[in-house]
Every structure is written in structure tokens, then in C-alpha cells.
Amino acid sequence: GTDSTQLQENDTRSNGYNARISYDRPISDKKTFLSIGSAYNRNNSHVLVNASYKKKPEELFYNSDLLSNDFWFHQDVFNVRTSVKKVFAEMFSLSAGITVEATNISFDLIKESRNVNNKYWNYLPFANINKSWKDKFSITLAYRRTIRRPGINELNPAIDFSDPYNIRFGNYQLSPSLTHDFNLVLSRTRPKYFLNMGLGHNIVEDVFSQIRTLVPDGKTQITWENISNRKEYELSSWNGYTISNKVKINLSSTYTYYVYSEFDKSVRKFRDGGSFSSNMSSNFTLKEVMNFTGSFNINRFANPQGSVSWNMGMNIGFQRKFFNKRLILTMNVIDPFRDQKTNRNTVGKNFEVSSVNITRTTNYKLSAAYNFSKVVKKNPKSSTLKNKASAK
């Protein structure tokens, strides 16, 4: 078309600062410990987007006001906390406390000459009990209420018109998502290996998620909404094994199953689903001057309106040292065997959207480093004389 070429320049500048103060004190019995503190965090971001399109056949760029933007984002978080730890016996303790937080977010929409803001308070208690045994086995039972705050991408109320068939905008009135986390962790540590297994049940309140809806003119719009509550059931494990002094392997995986409310499933057509992530890494030291590393991960992420297919990644590394370890050569190969392919399927009340994304990239990285510093060898006789002199 006459204006099919677009140019968009994004300039984002961010800064922030924080202040913390804490006080810790053991009580007279030496088995009770008190901790109190407070923290303040301030974050600022200035986002400037200048968009234009090329008009043909003049080959000139003209400003596109609908696609341009200019705004400031500010977020203040202030909290006070207190906690107590009680040691009942050797390797047996209980900790409990609470944090009170106040959050204030605001947008200064310069282009629209208006300001929007949102404020909220939250109470975040926690408690955990830990028992360990001398054979390096331990059990931890914990409860914690956590908070997930929406960020600038979820909150930004400015409308993105860059896709003519779909518009995007944030929701500055989003509430934070609060989660009641219940976790049981079993741990075993030995000289050649460590094993950990965790069971978790989470009750998530005011979940905020990206929602796509169909509007009357045939387009779709994407924004962020609080979508009721959700329950999560989690099983995780992270382990390591030393086969020998030259070979080490680490393996971790997590599976989380999401269960949505009956209202969300019947009205919004949400569906229950599971997310899976795993990682395996290894290190092989062939010689003191030569070693191999490798990592391999597989992931699948579910969302309330559909699913994302499996994806995997691989990174293989080789390092060799020369000239008394002065010259170090490192080779990395990333995703050498397969393309990254992602299938997305989104289902709403009156529409279904499917998309496929394939990324064909294989990265090879070679780096070299040389150490020019001299290694000073110590004379054992001179050091012995110095020690005797200092002793006298």
C-alpha cells in the first residue's frame, strides 16, 4: 500500500533508588532472635516513542501521531517488617513474621495531558519450621504470602495501534496478585550428591493475565485483566551428582498444574493446564587445562486461553588453556541441531486464533583471553625465615 513502510523509534530511560534499614537482636535466652526493618524503593521510567510512515512514491517519512507516545511511569514501594526466630533444640527451629507494604504507581501521560494512578496496601505474613538430622537429611515446612505486582508493560494505558487487526493497551487499575504458598521440602546431602524434592500448593488471588477479546468491527484487542482466582499444584526437584573429580551433573525440573474457577471456565472459556520446565547441565574436566560444559532445557508454558507447545534449547561449551594457562580459548555452540518452533492456540468466547513461530538460529561464539601478569613464585626458605623473625 501507499503507507506500508513504518519506522518506530523507542527511547526508554529508567532510574531508581532504594533505602533499607534493619535491626537484629538476640533475646536474653540466646535461643530467640528478633529482627525488624524497613525499606523504600523508587523507580522512574520515561518512555518516548516516535513513529512515522513512508509515503510512496514521494519516498518521504511523515509522523504517525496514533503510533507515537510520550509518558512517565513512577512506582513507590514502602514496607516495614518484623520477624522472630525460635531455636527449640539443635537443628530444630521455627521462624515467623509479617511485612506490611504500601505501593503507589502513577502515569504522567504527556501526550494526552492527563495523569492516572493507583494505590494499594498489602499484608504479607510468613512462617516456616525446619528440622535437620546429623546424617544430612532435613525437612522444611513453610507458608508465605507473596505478592506479584503488575509492571509498566501491564499497566501502561497508552494504546498500541501498530497491528491494524489487533490493538494492545495496559490497565493501570490492575490489582496485584497475592499468593498463599504452602511448601514442603525434603533435602538429602552427601559428599558425592545432593537431592531435593518439593511439594507445593498455591492459592493465587486476583490473577492478572493477558486477555484477547473480539470487538464489533472484527478486530481483536489485547489487554490485562484480573481474572478471579487460581489454584496451583507444584512438584519440583533439583539434584546434583559428582560421578568423579572430573565429571559433574546437575538436573532440575518443575511441573505446575493450574486450576481455574468454574466461572472463568464456563464464561471466559478458560481451561486448566500444566506448565513444565527442566534443565540439565554437566561439566567434564578432561585435563587441568581443558574442560567441556553443556546445558539442555525443555519448557512448556500453559496460559488460561490456550497453550504453548514444547520448546527446547542447548548450549555446548569447550575451553582450552595454553602457554602455562595464560592464553584461554573458549568455544560456545547454541542450538546446533534444531529450530526453535512455538505453536500458540488462543480460544475465546467467540473466536479462535492459531499462530506458528519458527526461529532458525545457530550461534557459534569463539573468545580468546590472554593474561599478561607475572606469577611471583614464593621461596619457601625466605617465608620460613620471616615467620621465625615475626615470632621472635
Side-chain angles (χ1 to χ4, degrees):
T2 57
D3 56 348
S4 60
T5 303
Q6 294 182 355
L7 174 66
Q8 191 173 61
E9 298 176 343
N10 295 273
D11 183 8
T12 301
R13 301 191 180 191
S14 302
N15 63 77
Y17 51 86
N18 63 78
R20 296 178 182 273
I21 185 172
S22 62
Y23 175 74
D24 303 296
R25 177 186 175 87
I27 309 302
S28 57
D29 62 0
K30 304 299 182 181
K31 292 186 177 181
T32 306
F33 304 86
L34 174 67
S35 176
I36 58 175
S38 180
Y40 172 73
N41 288 275
R42 168 78 173 189
N43 293 298
N44 309 290
S45 295
H46 184 203
V47 179
L48 183 63
V49 180
N50 291 317
S52 57
Y53 68 94
K54 180 184 282 188
K55 189 173 182 180
K56 301 175 182 180
E58 292 89 344
E59 297 294 322
L60 297 175
F61 277 96
Y62 291 87
N63 290 334
S64 178
D65 188 59
L66 287 176
L67 300 180
S68 301
N69 218 327
D70 186 4
F71 66 86
W72 277 92
F73 170 73
H74 308 283
Q75 178 176 271
D76 300 278
V77 180
F78 173 76
N79 71 46
V80 291
R81 62 172 178 82
T82 181
S83 65
V84 176
K85 179 179 180 180
K86 176 68 175 179
V87 179
F88 297 103
E90 185 180 2
M91 296 185 289
F92 181 37
S93 63
L94 170 68
S95 299
I98 188 172
T99 299
V100 181
E101 287 192 349
T103 304
N104 178 30
I105 65 104
S106 63
F107 281 93
D108 181 10
L109 304 174
I110 300 173
K111 180 183 172 182
E112 302 177 23
S113 301
R114 67 187 181 103
N115 295 293
V116 296
N117 58 75
N118 194 12
K119 299 179 181 179
Y120 46 83
W121 285 81
N122 299 108
Y123 302 90
L124 309 173
F126 75 91
N128 68 75
I129 185 168
N130 177 266
K131 172 61 178 174
S132 300
W133 286 266
K134 293 183 179 180
D135 60 353
K136 305 300 181 181
F137 179 73
S138 67
I139 298 178
T140 302
L141 181 63
Y143 162 76
R144 179 180 296 271
R145 194 186 192 199
T146 59
I147 182 173
R148 180 189 171 207
R149 299 183 190 84
I152 185 173
N153 294 326
E154 295 89 353
L155 297 169
N156 179 13
I159 298 176
D160 179 4
F161 295 91
S162 57
D163 184 348
Y165 303 103
N166 177 68
I167 60 175
R168 297 172 179 264
F169 55 92
N171 180 6
Y172 71 92
Q173 294 180 325
L174 282 177
S175 299
S177 180
L178 298 170
T179 304
H180 298 276
D181 296 326
F182 301 87
N183 293 284
L184 173 65
V185 179
L186 308 177
S187 301
R188 177 83 169 184
T189 303
R190 287 296 189 185
K192 285 198 170 185
Y193 67 86
F194 63 89
L195 302 174
N196 297 275
M197 186 181 72
L199 298 173
H201 174 52
N202 307 321
I203 302 173
V204 189
E205 302 170 340
D206 294 323
V207 178
F208 56 85
S209 181
Q210 206 170 41
I211 302 299
R212 184 193 290 259
T213 56
L214 183 66
V215 293
D217 60 357
K219 300 178 182 179
T220 59
Q221 70 176 25
I222 293 178
T223 187
W224 292 83
E225 296 179 9
N226 290 104
I227 59 169
S228 185
N229 300 334
R230 181 179 73 206
K231 294 181 179 179
E232 300 175 356
Y233 301 90
E234 182 178 304
L235 175 63
S236 60
S237 179
W238 55 104
N239 315 283
Y241 187 70
T242 302
I243 299 176
S244 66
N245 293 333
K246 296 182 178 181
V247 182
K248 298 180 181 179
I249 295 177
N250 292 315
L251 176 65
S252 64
S253 61
T254 300
Y255 179 77
T256 306
Y257 190 76
Y258 305 101
V259 178
Y260 296 93
S261 67
E262 291 301 323
F263 173 82
D264 287 332
K265 288 191 283 190
S266 61
V267 177
R268 293 171 170 166
K269 304 301 180 184
F270 285 3
R271 58 186 67 183
D272 300 338
S275 293
F276 175 80
S277 63
S278 65
N279 178 267
M280 183 181 71
S281 62
S282 61
N283 183 277
F284 176 46
T285 304
L286 187 62
K287 297 179 180 179
E288 188 179 355
V289 294
M290 184 187 304
N291 66 77
F292 295 87
T293 61
S295 65
F296 180 74
N297 62 76
I298 301 176
N299 303 288
R300 181 190 188 275
F301 301 102
N303 66 70
Q305 284 189 303
S307 63
V308 178
S309 69
W310 302 86
N311 64 76
M312 61 181 63
M314 181 180 294
N315 189 324
I316 301 173
F318 168 74
Q319 186 180 86
R320 180 71 164 86
K321 300 177 182 179
F322 301 89
F323 307 124
N324 293 326
K325 302 181 182 179
R326 291 181 178 273
L327 176 63
I328 303 174
L329 296 180
T330 305
M331 178 72 180
N332 277 94
V333 182
I334 302 173
D335 295 332
F337 302 120
R338 71 183 303 272
D339 301 330
Q340 292 295 319
K341 184 177 180 179
T342 303
N343 296 325
R344 292 183 176 88
N345 186 50
T346 303
V347 179
K349 291 187 295 184
N350 51 2
F351 71 92
E352 182 173 346
V353 178
S354 297
S355 63
V356 178
N357 180 69
I358 299 176
T359 304
R360 294 174 177 169
T361 58
T362 299
N363 299 305
Y364 300 91
K365 180 181 178 182
L366 177 64
S367 59
Y370 191 86
N371 184 8
F372 291 94
S373 61
K374 294 182 178 180
V375 179
V376 179
K377 296 183 179 180
K378 294 183 179 181
N379 189 335
K381 293 183 178 181
S382 62
S383 60
T384 303
L385 293 175
K386 288 182 181 179
N387 292 333
K388 290 182 178 180
S390 61
K392 290 180 180 181

